[in-house]
Amino acid sequence: MPRPRRLDGLPAHIDPRRIPTGLFWDRSGSGRWMVRDAATGKAQRVAGPEAPLSELHAIAEERASGAQRGTVAHVLEAFHASADFKGLAPRTRDDYERQQTIACAIPTKIGPLGTLVARRLRVPLMQTLLDRIAVDHPTKANHLLRYLRRTFRWGITRGHLDQDPTRAIRQFKERAQRRLPPHQVIDRVREFARTHGQLSPRTPGSCAPYLWLVMELGYLCRLRPVETITLSDAHGTPDGVLTNRRKGSRDSLVRWTPRLRAAWDAAIALRAKAWERKRLPTPIKPEHRYVVVNETGQRLGMSGLHTAWQRLMIQMVAGGLLDTSERFGLHDLKRRGITDTPGRAAKLEAGGHRSEQMLAVYDLEVPAVEPPTETR
């Protein structure tokens, strides 16, 4: 018969003979229950001195069931393997995989968040962790909060959790980021993208050949990036470019100018070269002939566009051609285009906005007014 385990300072409600295998008592401070990681040999806190025997046995069973079953990492992995996750858009799946990595690595006092038992997570702990991130990165904290909220709610319906530990956490106030890049910066980036886009792909100094065209079309037509890359031959009319706006904005017809026509024709020529190089058939329907395509002649996706744009920004900053403070996004070109449009009514029509509140997000023009006339 094995000798009974003797633990100094053991909580009075714990019977030493019934302590599950794998857990040991650390009496430092107010005391805590610990386990030792088999891979690293490091001790990890799993419960406090108030934990009953039933909770200690539940912890031991969860750890013994293999693959860290019951942990946050296990719940997230189960969600990512589900049909719900596989039914999401490719870009959403890519983003959620990044959020999964971030969430599992968040440090806590008892180890990374991914190693904690999901059922024992509470709102105060999650609030503390997200507060810490939100101090410098409120947008990142909100992004992570939305991901965890969706994943935990999925886990509740599948029996992985009893409650959502993010249910009472409110969104953090984000800093408004309404960048308006100066014309000289836009011109510098566009010219760099145009000249370096002519270099052979994957050679030193080269960039995606379509970037300068996305810049031109986005600025001249006041389009979001996704609206720019989904333009097709069906949007090119004899009178101009018919927009395809999202988020409830109204479409408009942007009349041809020499500059707009040159950008449109350059995109068509680049597409023709890609189709000829890859020997791709020409789609019969004009709505299937996208104006901007990638290097293989296929439809350009937002993920590929975002990656190519970030590489361009990094390349120019590393080469000393762009200051870090001068970096901007493709969406900012819509703001620049609307701000450069003269007249309040013309701005509303050009941007497709349905209200003054919507326009205020994009119009950063400072109005010039006359001083007051003194009357007595």
Side-chain angles (χ1 to χ4, degrees):
M1 181 175 179
R3 185 172 59 183
R5 298 167 71 176
R6 298 176 58 87
L7 297 173
D8 295 334
L10 192 70
H13 64 280
I14 297 295
D15 183 350
R17 296 170 298 179
R18 300 181 60 190
I19 297 175
T21 303
L23 275 69
F24 64 93
W25 175 252
D26 180 358
R27 63 176 182 172
S28 61
S30 58
R32 52 188 178 174
W33 290 102
M34 309 284 287
V35 296
R36 195 170 299 281
D37 188 274
T40 64
K42 294 183 179 179
Q44 174 185 335
R45 178 187 183 275
V46 293
E50 71 286 348
L53 266 173
S54 59
E55 182 175 345
L56 300 184
H57 279 276
I59 295 172
E61 290 175 4
E62 289 169 350
R63 293 183 61 84
S65 58
Q68 298 293 318
R69 187 175 180 84
T71 62
V72 173
H74 176 261
V75 175
L76 300 187
E77 288 176 3
F79 170 70
H80 283 249
S82 68
D84 290 37
F85 177 81
K86 294 176 182 177
L88 298 174
R91 191 180 179 198
T92 303
R93 294 198 301 268
D94 292 341
D95 176 64
Y96 277 9
E97 287 173 357
R98 288 192 294 270
Q99 297 304 316
Q100 178 189 21
T101 302
I102 294 172
C104 290
I106 296 177
T108 71
K109 291 182 179 179
I110 56 177
L113 179 62
T115 64
L116 305 189
V117 178
R119 290 185 184 276
R120 291 203 297 277
L121 292 180
R122 296 295 180 265
V123 175
L125 171 63
M126 299 305 301
Q127 183 74 68
T128 300
L129 299 179
L130 290 169
D131 282 344
R132 188 192 308 160
I133 298 173
V135 171
D136 297 318
H137 307 285
T139 303
K140 179 180 178 181
N142 283 335
H143 204 163
L144 183 61
L145 173 61
R146 289 190 291 268
Y147 165 74
L148 290 174
R149 185 168 289 164
R150 179 169 188 172
T151 306
F152 288 154
R153 287 177 180 174
W154 177 91
I156 292 173
T157 61
R158 272 71 178 181
H160 295 289
L161 294 91
D162 300 320
Q163 59 181 354
D164 179 9
T166 64
R167 65 189 183 280
I169 301 177
R170 300 177 60 183
Q171 294 266 351
F172 299 94
K173 184 176 181 180
E174 300 180 10
R175 295 184 288 269
Q177 192 175 30
R178 299 179 182 176
R179 296 175 295 195
L180 188 67
H183 285 287
Q184 58 269 26
V185 175
I186 296 176
D187 294 343
R188 191 191 319 152
V189 174
R190 184 179 59 247
E191 182 60 22
F192 181 91
R194 188 185 66 82
T195 56
H196 288 250
Q198 297 174 3
L199 301 176
S200 298
R202 288 169 289 281
T203 58
S206 65
C207 69
Y210 52 76
L211 283 178
W212 77 275
L213 295 169
V214 174
M215 292 181 65
E216 278 285 84
L217 294 173
Y219 168 74
L220 295 173
C221 298
R222 298 95 165 177
L223 298 176
R224 298 180 177 91
V226 67
E227 297 165 351
T228 304
I229 64 174
T230 51
L231 288 174
S232 67
D233 284 357
H235 297 101
T237 72
D239 297 322
V241 177
L242 182 64
T243 63
N244 58 340
R245 303 191 192 280
R246 268 70 165 176
K247 297 187 177 181
S249 297
R250 294 178 300 192
D251 284 325
S252 57
L253 181 69
V254 185
R255 294 188 179 91
W256 292 117
T257 64
R259 181 176 174 181
L260 178 57
R261 173 56 78 178
W264 185 273
D265 291 344
I268 298 297
L270 185 65
R271 180 186 70 185
K273 288 177 60 177
W275 285 356
E276 181 181 0
R277 184 174 61 253
K278 295 296 181 179
R279 298 181 180 180
L280 298 177
T282 301
I284 297 176
K285 295 184 177 180
E287 57 268 25
H288 295 165
R289 298 196 296 267
Y290 295 100
V291 175
V292 181
V293 297
N294 58 24
E295 297 174 21
T296 62
Q298 304 294 332
R299 175 183 174 180
L300 177 62
M302 279 300 298
S303 177
L305 175 62
H306 176 75
T307 301
W309 180 257
Q310 293 305 320
R311 286 176 178 171
L312 174 66
M313 292 286 101
I314 294 173
Q315 183 179 353
M316 293 191 67
V317 170
L321 302 174
L322 192 70
D323 189 77
T324 304
S325 61
E326 295 177 323
R327 290 185 60 163
F328 62 92
L330 287 168
H331 199 145
D332 297 320
L333 294 174
K334 177 179 179 179
R335 184 175 294 108
R336 180 78 262 181
I338 293 175
T339 300
D340 291 347
T341 303
R344 195 73 178 174
K347 292 177 187 290
L348 273 171
E349 293 182 354
H353 301 302
R354 297 181 181 272
S355 66
E356 289 285 339
Q357 290 79 3
M358 293 174 64
L359 178 60
V361 177
Y362 288 92
D363 182 22
L364 301 185
E365 181 183 16
V366 178
V369 298
E370 298 293 335
T373 302
E374 183 178 355
T375 59
R376 300 201 177 201

